[in-house]
Amino acid sequence: MTAEPIRVSTEWLDLRERADAASRSGELVDELRRHLPARGVLVIHDLACGTGAMGRWLAPLLPGPQHWVVHDRDADLLEVAAVDVPAPAADGSRVAVEARRADITRLDPDELAGATLVTASALLDILTEDELAGLAGLCAGVGCPVLLALSVTGRVRLAPADPLDARVAAAFGAHQRRVTRSGRLLGPDAVPAAVSELRRLGTDVIVRPSPWRLGPDQVDLAAEWLTGWVGAACEQEPGLAPEAAAYAERRLAEARAGELAVTVDHADLLVLP
Ligand SMILES: C[S@@+](CC[C@H](N)C(=O)[O-])C[C@H]1O[C@@H](n2cnc3c(N)ncnc32)[C@H](O)[C@@H]1O
């Protein structure tokens, strides 16, 4: 059992921001625009905002004045989100940010009252089944669109292939589903679990792929991701460590030489009331 919560570093969120922005589904944003009010200030709650990357990506893609309420339990990340605010809206309107320190698994529905949009990014796969059910209930009850971006699906492809890829991937998948003090994490099961729960609660859910495609222009992120991927796999399956050390060295050399392409599949969900 893992002692939780695990903290996410600003450096990691910084490193992944460009890849995240390139991966989130533009098609779902086009659909989302059709479901937002044409007038007035958009009140957008971003749950588990980290350093606020979701707002920096989405705010300039939406028209009209926006008030972003960004929630996270990590005060350090929240501080960055409050300062590194999004660019103006698509039509040049003002975008304001209000930071709230909160555990999003304990939010009272009243805290989202008046929301015109709820968002979250890179969150669902680190929740337990109970936490996801709570979040789905909150999303279904809020009565506005909800955009849940970048949940891992468990599929990873590396090119060129290596005989150890599949074993590392399987051990990493098991690590993502590990038992923590809060319960078993959903990991790659999060997307089907969220879709089924949200549909059961009567919402429409549109799912689109949002894969990370890391090539020679994302060497630093690919190297950091690889190190974390192999490290988590070995933590889960210590017997893998002797072989994995040489594997990691080989793969990192390929990544740094721009000779490795990594695809990490994610999915985005647009939930419509
Ligand atoms: C992988 S990061 C994603 C951050 C941001 N949404 C992004 O896309 O860059 C996950 C974030 O969830 C936050 N988090 C995880 N569980 C949380 C909880 N129960 N309540 C509030 N924040 C939480 C972490 O502090 C972290 O900022």
Side-chain angles (χ1 to χ4, degrees):
M1 189 185 298
T2 313
E4 290 289 289
I6 296 163
R7 292 192 70 195
V8 182
S9 71
T10 45
E11 291 78 14
W12 170 243
L13 294 180
D14 224 25
L15 199 55
R16 59 178 287 173
E17 183 160 348
R18 188 160 60 94
D20 285 352
S23 303
R24 293 193 194 94
S25 169
E27 189 189 335
L28 289 188
V29 177
D30 291 341
E31 181 64 29
L32 169 64
R33 275 192 218 97
R34 290 193 268 277
H35 296 271
L36 293 174
R39 280 186 198 80
V41 178
L42 297 178
V43 179
I44 303 170
H45 287 257
D46 187 28
L47 308 183
C49 64
T51 59
M54 183 65 163
R56 285 188 292 275
W57 173 73
L58 184 58
L61 299 177
L62 301 178
Q66 299 166 38
H67 183 87
W68 281 74
V69 185
V70 296
H71 306 248
D72 206 285
R73 66 182 171 197
D74 188 314
D76 295 337
L77 300 181
L78 208 51
E79 209 175 294
V80 179
V83 175
D84 191 359
V85 297
D91 59 358
S93 298
R94 181 164 182 266
V95 176
V97 174
E98 173 190 341
R100 285 192 198 163
R101 190 163 181 202
D103 180 341
I104 57 97
T105 62
R106 289 161 193 260
L107 276 188
D108 189 288
D110 286 349
E111 293 180 69
L112 300 183
T116 41
L117 171 64
V118 174
T119 63
S121 182
L123 174 67
L124 301 187
D125 45 84
I126 56 171
L127 298 180
T128 66
E129 196 177 346
D130 286 350
E131 289 169 345
L132 181 76
L135 182 69
L138 208 62
C139 293
V142 72
C144 68
V146 179
L147 183 62
L148 302 168
L150 288 175
S151 302
V152 295
T153 66
R155 187 152 184 250
V156 169
R157 280 154 289 160
L158 293 97
D162 184 288
L164 210 61
D165 290 347
R167 244 184 100 193
V168 177
F172 179 79
H175 185 266
Q176 284 213 302
R177 296 182 175 97
R178 70 195 177 280
V179 177
T180 69
R181 273 210 303 236
S182 324
R184 183 176 290 284
L185 303 182
L186 283 163
D189 304 322
V191 171
V195 171
S196 116
E197 182 62 8
L198 285 159
R199 287 190 178 145
R200 192 187 69 76
L201 293 169
T203 62
D204 279 343
V205 186
I206 309 172
V207 185
R208 289 292 177 269
S210 50
W212 267 4
R213 292 203 173 86
L214 310 181
D217 61 330
Q218 289 277 17
V219 168
D220 289 346
L221 178 58
E224 193 65 26
W225 175 84
L226 256 170
T227 305
W229 190 59
V230 177
C234 293
E235 196 180 306
Q236 188 66 27
E237 200 185 312
L240 197 58
E243 273 176 279
Y247 170 84
E249 219 171 281
R250 198 160 63 235
R251 287 317 219 169
L252 281 171
E254 288 169 350
R256 291 202 180 101
E259 289 163 2
L260 184 69
V262 180
T263 308
V264 183
D265 280 349
H266 295 88
D268 289 7
L269 278 54
L270 178 62
V271 185
L272 298 169

